[in-house]
Amino acid sequence: MALAYYKHLDGTSAFGVWKIEESAEELYSQLQLKEDEKAYIETLNNGKRNLHWLSTRVLLRKMLNTGKYIDCQVDEHGKPYLVNFPHHISLSHSFDYAAVIISEDKPVGIDIELVKTKIERVAGKFLVNEELNFIDPEKRIEHLYICWCAKEAVYKLQGKKTVSFRDNIRLQQFECQEEGSLTAILEADQECRSFDVHYEAFKDYMIGYVTGCKELVS
């Protein structure tokens, strides 16, 4: 595994992106796993699913810079959390890359996606008309991926499966650039929260990430 990108976001938060170049066996050898984790890996098909699970855990170990066992669990909604470290975490993967974001003091979310034209076919399933109307026709695919990654990052931060990308997470209009930020509004569980979501293009991929909640909207 080779470090492809690392970024400090503030004094307590950072994210990293790694290119998956090792075999499953090589990744496995870098981890300390308990029997239930080993059993879970056995349920995964050999291939990308296996590599993605292993690579995010290896990258998490690198990000935490520890030789200790990392007890990484998932809650009833599938959101990962650490039992024996104080950090908030979020994990993502897409094809040949894995991404991890960590923070010592705030919830986080991250998404990495390979940019492909197929997103056109599902745009109406995760964006409402007001959002579709501000998509730049000259940069349509990239703009759609920024929107997807932004909503996915917020979704991962809040961590509840009942939240809908289209119905509960709305994006305010923004220009499509190589790197930038936008405002996302999450309306769920009788609360309305605002988030500053950041994004940047990375090779043929798009990354969206968020740290903490901007404000509670009344």
Side-chain angles (χ1 to χ4, degrees):
M1 182 180 280
L3 179 64
Y5 188 45
Y6 185 85
K7 187 170 186 175
H8 285 285
L9 304 177
D10 52 45
T12 62
S13 309
F15 78 83
V17 178
W18 289 71
K19 187 172 184 181
I20 306 168
E21 297 177 317
E22 296 88 348
S23 66
E25 291 74 19
E26 289 171 322
L27 293 169
Y28 190 96
S29 69
Q30 298 181 57
L31 295 172
Q32 299 170 337
L33 299 174
K34 291 187 176 179
E35 291 305 315
D36 60 330
E37 294 170 312
K38 293 177 182 179
Y40 176 74
I41 292 173
E42 290 297 322
T43 68
L44 301 176
N45 296 327
N46 289 330
K48 285 298 183 183
R49 283 191 67 199
N50 200 358
L51 289 172
H52 286 157
W53 193 95
L54 292 166
S55 61
T56 52
R57 270 63 181 183
V58 170
L59 177 52
L60 178 60
R61 176 170 294 279
K62 302 294 184 183
M63 296 280 290
L64 292 172
N65 191 27
T66 182
K68 293 173 54 180
Y69 169 71
I70 300 173
D71 192 355
C72 181
Q73 302 287 334
V74 294
D75 65 17
E76 67 272 21
H77 297 281
K79 182 178 181 179
Y81 67 94
L82 300 179
V83 176
N84 58 336
F85 286 84
H87 302 73
H88 299 269
I89 64 168
S90 181
L91 316 175
S92 185
H93 46 73
S94 181
F95 290 86
D96 296 330
Y97 287 90
V100 171
I101 187 170
I102 64 173
S103 178
E104 297 175 15
D105 60 356
K106 60 182 76 72
V108 291
I110 193 167
D111 188 44
I112 183 170
E113 299 287 346
L114 177 63
V115 176
K116 302 174 74 174
T117 57
K118 68 178 184 179
I119 197 170
E120 282 268 26
R121 301 197 299 266
V122 297
K125 294 183 178 180
F126 68 92
L127 297 176
V128 296
N129 287 336
E130 292 85 350
E131 295 167 325
L132 289 168
N133 288 339
F134 66 65
I135 299 299
D136 186 339
E138 296 183 1
K139 304 176 182 177
R140 184 170 178 81
I141 301 302
E142 292 81 1
H143 212 163
L144 288 173
Y145 266 101
I146 294 170
C147 293
W148 173 271
C149 289
K151 291 198 176 192
E152 179 76 21
V154 171
Y155 176 84
K156 287 184 173 181
L157 181 148
Q158 60 82 35
K160 294 182 180 179
K161 289 182 178 179
T162 54
V163 166
S164 161
F165 279 28
R166 190 177 190 277
D167 299 332
N168 300 116
I169 305 173
R170 299 292 173 84
L171 307 180
Q172 295 187 358
Q173 184 169 347
F174 67 98
E175 293 184 7
C176 178
Q177 302 174 340
E178 284 289 306
E179 180 177 353
S181 62
L182 60 104
T183 298
I185 306 295
L186 170 66
E187 294 186 58
D189 296 330
Q190 299 181 335
E191 288 187 350
C192 183
R193 295 183 178 273
S194 174
F195 299 86
D196 282 332
V197 185
H198 300 270
Y199 67 87
E200 51 189 280
F202 170 76
K203 299 184 182 295
D204 295 327
Y205 292 72
M206 189 64 67
I207 302 170
Y209 59 91
V210 59
T211 60
C213 175
K214 181 180 178 183
E215 60 186 0
L216 181 63
V217 181
S218 57

